[in-house]
Amino acid sequence: MSLKLNIYTAAFTARCPNDGALIDYKLEIRTPETIMVERINEATRAHDVGIQEQIADQLHDSFGGELRLWGTHQGVGIESVRLLE
């Protein structure tokens, strides 16, 4: 039996609703499913304002799999991880 795994990465920006800072994010999705890149681009563009942890939750709801979202805000690096249940 073989296990397949697709790894998708994307970068996007979103504005923090608390202080207005523009945050650069790096996204990684690991899944056995095939995700059209247009869906990933559309989903990340929809998050022009938001808090990282909430963005990670919403993206994970959309794509499932294992999701990691990295960002740096006010000098603090944040990694949000959402795993398969």
Side-chain angles (χ1 to χ4, degrees):
M1 179 169 110
S2 66
L3 176 65
K4 64 179 185 173
L5 182 65
N6 299 309
I7 302 171
Y8 301 90
T9 61
F12 66 99
T13 59
R15 194 162 300 281
C16 174
N18 294 327
D19 66 5
L22 191 61
I23 311 297
D24 293 318
Y25 290 108
K26 179 183 175 198
L27 170 67
E28 178 182 271
I29 302 167
R30 294 172 173 251
T31 179
E33 305 302 321
T34 298
I35 303 172
M36 297 294 109
V37 297
E38 294 82 3
R39 281 190 60 217
I40 295 170
N41 289 332
E42 180 180 311
T44 56
R45 277 195 301 268
H47 295 286
D48 55 341
V49 176
I51 295 172
Q52 177 171 331
E53 294 83 353
Q54 293 169 347
I55 294 171
D57 289 341
Q58 292 166 359
L59 291 171
H60 189 250
D61 288 345
S62 294
F63 299 112
E66 179 181 300
L67 182 141
R68 294 178 188 273
L69 184 63
W70 293 270
T72 302
H73 187 76
Q74 296 184 13
V76 176
I78 303 168
E79 179 179 2
S80 299
V81 179
R82 305 297 183 263
L83 302 173
L84 292 169
E85 293 184 15

